[in-house]
């Protein structure tokens, strides 16, 4: 189990994000191979995680699986500029097949499934800035987004670093997205 402060901002892209890839490479970022992630989101029966903006999910990606929890949103976790800072708790499962077992466990203890979100993600990392990722996500049923994320033991200076990277990428003018992918996909099902 690992706990870190995740500071991130998401922006909607007007295209498939392919124009950012050469710029990221020019800035020294290294791309991972695109992966498909399938996230199944849950909520408690007595607390609506859609209202509290909590996150409980089981993520599957190839042979990898994890359970993630992010606490409820408060005025201190969501800044006016749509920068989100939350403690993220991850439990990495031994193998990808355990995701199904984790999902059964959650429903067995009364958690209710909200939605399943499928996205293709290409993650970019800079070798000189550990804990920083820029991800281009194509979310089935919601669109294409760029997410700039800083993971550190504390949030000190992380929002400023997110802003700096976004300026380097020339994406400051793209609309920010305050809602999680879970909520964007659920809106499409309404």
């Amino acid at each position: 189990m690992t706990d870190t402060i995740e500071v991130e901002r998401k922006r909607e892209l007007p295209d498939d994000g392919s124009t950012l890839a050469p710029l990221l490479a020019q800035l020294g970022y290294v791309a991972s191979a695109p992966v498909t992630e399938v996230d199944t989101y849950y909520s408690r029966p007595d607390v609506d995680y859609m209202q509290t903006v909590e996150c409980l999910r089981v993520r599957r990606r190839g042979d990898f699986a994890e359970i993630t929890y992010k606490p409820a949103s408060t005025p201190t976790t969501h800044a006016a500029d749509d920068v989100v800072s939350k403690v993220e708790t991850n439990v990495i499962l031994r193998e990808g097949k355990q995701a199904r077992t984790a999902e059964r466990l959650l429903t067995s203890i009364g958690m209710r499934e909200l939605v399943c979100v499928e996205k293709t993600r290409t993650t970019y990392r800079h070798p000189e800035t550990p804990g920083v990722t820029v991800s281009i996500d194509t979310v089935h049923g919601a669109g294409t987004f760029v997410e700039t994320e800083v993971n550190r033991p504390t949030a000190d200076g992380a929002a400023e670093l997110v802003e700096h990277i976004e300026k380097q990428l020339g994406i400051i003018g793209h609309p920010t997205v305050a809602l999680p992918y879970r909520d964007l996909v659920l809106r499409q099902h309404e």
Side-chain angles (χ1 to χ4, degrees):
M1 182 177 84
T2 59
D3 289 341
T4 60
I5 301 289
E6 176 187 77
V7 180
E8 66 180 28
R9 181 164 40 213
K10 182 170 37 222
R11 292 183 182 271
E12 188 171 1
L13 293 175
D15 55 24
D16 65 1
S18 60
T19 57
L20 280 181
L23 180 55
L24 284 158
Q26 182 182 351
L27 292 169
Y29 286 82
V30 178
S32 65
V35 295
T36 298
E37 294 180 338
V38 179
D39 296 337
T40 306
Y41 289 88
Y42 294 87
S43 185
R44 290 176 26 189
D46 59 331
V47 176
D48 184 356
Y49 284 1
M50 296 294 292
Q51 296 297 312
T52 60
V53 194
E54 286 175 82
C55 169
L56 176 61
R57 74 172 178 233
V58 176
R59 171 169 285 167
R60 292 172 296 190
R61 177 178 60 236
D63 290 334
F64 173 83
E66 72 181 346
I67 300 171
T68 298
Y69 175 75
K70 298 178 191 180
S73 291
T74 66
T76 57
T77 63
H78 275 71
D81 58 2
D82 289 329
V83 172
V84 179
S85 303
K86 288 187 176 187
V87 173
E88 181 175 296
T89 303
N90 296 298
V91 177
I92 298 179
L93 302 175
R94 192 170 37 121
E95 56 188 36
K97 291 181 259 179
Q98 288 185 317
R100 296 272 186 237
T101 305
E103 291 167 344
R104 265 196 326 274
L105 171 70
L106 292 173
T107 56
S108 294
I109 62 172
M111 301 303 283
R112 58 186 179 87
E113 183 177 324
L114 294 173
V115 69
C116 189
V117 174
E118 184 174 328
K119 72 176 175 282
T120 301
R121 169 173 276 184
T122 302
T123 301
Y124 297 83
R125 291 185 172 81
H126 197 286
E128 295 174 12
T129 52
V132 172
T133 58
V134 176
S135 299
I136 298 175
D137 296 329
T138 301
V139 181
H140 182 71
T144 303
F145 306 87
V146 59
E147 187 175 279
T148 307
E149 181 177 303
V150 176
N151 287 288
R152 301 264 167 85
T154 70
D156 297 340
E160 294 80 8
L161 183 53
V162 167
E163 180 95 9
H164 173 74
I165 293 166
E166 290 179 331
K167 284 179 182 174
Q168 285 183 311
L169 296 175
I171 59 173
I172 293 291
H174 297 306
T176 60
V177 178
L179 295 175
Y181 294 141
R182 168 197 74 188
D183 299 34
L184 296 175
V185 171
L186 274 170
R187 282 186 172 180
Q188 299 300 318
H189 294 289
E190 291 177 344

